[in-house]
Amino acid sequence: NASVRERQRIIRNAAEMGSPEYRSTLMQALEDRDPSIRAIAAGRMADVPGIDVRDALRTALQDSAGKVRAAALEALRHDPGFDLASDVIPLLKDSYPPVRASAARTLGRIRSPESVDPLISALHDSTGYVRRRAVNALVSIGDTRAIDALIQLKERERWLGRRYVTSSIDEMRRQSLDI
């Protein structure tokens, strides 16, 4: 029954040494009772390709600890084979702002048309960096349905935010002309 610090060290050392047992070490750590251990394991999963890892990370998206959900989402965001917007869209309503922000960023990478309306809703999030990530995601997706919502956001934001949103709207308009 190792201490939390010792278990954290084991996970980090396994990664650095390229241990062949790395995958199983991480899978076991995802079930640890301590959320900091589960979060480290979820974050390190980005280094381990494979379908079983994706399934484990999808399970981690349901973890009771926000930092575990955020780490799992970040790991999935870096997985080029992950494209299930349906797994990510519900996380735009998560109680933990870093999870909501990461969900918006992930949806921008996925560029799924089904995520446009939920991202437009995220423009009303109470946390500024979540709104900013939603703007970035909408620009990445390039769906012109978002322009009206971005114009409304521009009117609600402070001056610095207005300038950022205005440049985002201009970018979307340029993208629509390039199509």
Side-chain angles (χ1 to χ4, degrees), residues 14-54:
E16 290 168 7
M17 294 186 304
S19 166
E21 298 87 27
Y22 185 43
R23 179 187 300 245
S24 64
T25 300
L26 291 177
M27 297 295 247
Q28 289 173 353
L30 277 176
E31 301 196 13
D32 196 277
R33 67 184 176 279
D34 188 281
S36 66
I37 300 293
R38 295 192 311 271
I40 291 170
R44 297 290 175 135
M45 287 282 192
D47 302 330
V48 181
I51 303 229
D52 60 334
V53 172
R54 272 188 219 128

Side-chain angles (χ1 to χ4, degrees), residues 1-11 32-34 36-37:
N1 191 6
S3 73
V4 170
R5 288 188 192 265
E6 188 176 330
R7 292 193 315 270
Q8 289 172 342
R9 186 185 52 73
I10 289 168
I11 294 169
D32 196 277
R33 67 184 176 279
D34 188 281
S36 66
I37 300 293

Side-chain angles (χ1 to χ4, degrees), residues 95-156:
S95 61
Y96 191 55
V99 172
R100 297 193 308 269
S102 187
R105 188 174 10 180
T106 301
L107 290 169
R109 185 192 63 78
I110 294 171
R111 294 187 178 149
S112 170
E114 72 185 88
S115 62
V116 171
D117 290 331
L119 285 165
I120 288 172
S121 294
L123 296 175
H124 297 279
D125 195 279
S126 61
T127 305
Y129 67 91
V130 174
R131 292 191 304 274
R132 182 173 282 244
R133 296 284 189 213
V135 168
N136 293 343
L138 288 166
V139 170
S140 291
I141 294 168
D143 191 314
T144 56
R145 292 179 293 162
I147 291 177
D148 287 339
L150 290 171
I151 291 169
Q152 291 172 11
L153 175 66
K154 180 178 81 167
E155 300 306 316
R156 293 190 314 265

Side-chain angles (χ1 to χ4, degrees), residues 30 32 35 38 58-66 68-69 94:
L30 277 176
D32 196 277
R38 295 192 311 271
R58 280 193 188 110
T59 300
L61 290 175
Q62 308 302 316
D63 196 278
S64 61
V68 177
R69 294 189 306 273
D94 195 273

Side-chain angles (χ1 to χ4, degrees), residues 159-176:
W159 181 82
L160 181 62
R162 286 182 181 169
R163 192 167 73 189
Y164 178 77
V165 175
T166 298
S167 68
S168 298
I169 293 168
D170 292 343
E171 176 64 24
M172 285 191 74
R173 287 183 173 145
R174 277 193 298 278
Q175 287 176 8
S176 69

